[in-house]
Amino acid sequence: MTVGSAPADGTAPGAEAAGATADALRVDDLHVAFPTRDGVIRAVAGVSYRIARGRTLGIVGESGSGKSMTALAVLGLVPRPGRILKGTVRVGGDVINGLDERAMSRVRGARVAMIFQEPMTALNPVLTVGAQVAEAWSLHRRADTGKAREAALALLARVRIPEPSRRYGDYPHQMSGGMRQRAMIAMPSPDIPKS
Ligand SMILES: Nc1ncnc2c1ncn2[C@@H]1O[C@H](COP(=O)(O)OP(=O)(O)OP(=O)(O)O)[C@@H](O)[C@H]1O
Ligand SMILES: [Mg+2]
């Protein structure tokens, strides 16, 4: 994907400052390539964008233009033999590309998450949705089961799953597509804001 020299900018007008107001996500001159027998496929060719905290950036482009690869690269999940040739990914001002797998896994658990397009395959069909949300919540914390259940119920409510305490025990196939997708959104969420 080539977004050209002018970066797509999700920054709020006037939200320009260093430190505490560092962009939630900033990508600079990202290049991703796949070596193949027929030569190198340049999947992402010089993409730059910034997203300020609380802002949303939509990326639109034709099929095969590199939208998914640019997102996967942010999480260090470019599939082999593809790799990032060049570029910088910053989360809250910290450079995260080039971290080792352990450090990247911590970033993925706590700071950046991806909601994939296939919520049915992303959820385990033989475990209840509630248990999966609770497990995801527990993964990056030390907490007992009761606390995890309580947190999972709050997360299900927060993503507008109706009657969370009843729905907690639903298996993925018992929920609507939208509910499953929202359950996925609940899963990697960091702490629930106190608001
Ligand atoms: N394993 C691979 N080997 C070689 N090329 C690949 C591989 N995976 C992806 N590509 C190429 O990388 C380019 C970018 O793919 P990407 O999946 O990012 O496109 P996209 O913009 O998300 O498309 P869509 O809108 O169809 O989802 C495509 O040209 C694709 O063919
Ligand atoms: Mg895609």
Side-chain angles (χ1 to χ4, degrees), residues 163-186:
E163 300 179 76
S165 48
R166 186 170 71 78
R167 289 291 186 169
Y168 188 96
D170 273 8
Y171 289 89
H173 74 272
Q174 294 174 290
M175 287 191 166
S176 73
M179 280 186 234
R180 284 196 292 265
Q181 197 154 26
R182 296 204 298 286
M184 284 299 303
I185 292 169

Side-chain angles (χ1 to χ4, degrees), residues 82-94:
R83 64 187 193 91
I84 297 178
L85 291 184
K86 190 179 170 206
T88 317
V89 177
R90 287 187 182 82
V91 171
D94 303 327

Side-chain angles (χ1 to χ4, degrees), residues 149 152-154 156-158 160-169:
R149 184 189 159 86
L153 284 169
L156 291 175
R158 194 167 148 77
R160 310 268 191 278
I161 303 280
E163 300 179 76
S165 48
R166 186 170 71 78
R167 289 291 186 169
Y168 188 96

Side-chain angles (χ1 to χ4, degrees), residues 62-69 117:
E62 65 188 80
S63 181
S65 61
K67 303 179 298 293
S68 293
M69 284 306 152
Q117 277 167 323

Side-chain angles (χ1 to χ4, degrees), residues 1 34-36 41-44 61-70 72 79-82 117:
M1 174 160 67
F34 286 87
T36 71
I41 294 176
R42 303 191 65 196
V44 179
E62 65 188 80
S63 181
S65 61
K67 303 179 298 293
S68 293
M69 284 306 152
T70 195
L72 288 168
R80 283 171 199 278
Q117 277 167 323

Side-chain angles (χ1 to χ4, degrees), residues 2 7 11 21 38 50 86 97 135 140 145 150 168 174:
T2 310
T11 311
T21 56
D38 306 322
R50 324 166 38 180
K86 190 179 170 206
N97 59 306
E135 194 198 337
H140 300 278
T145 320
E150 205 175 292
Y168 188 96
Q174 294 174 290

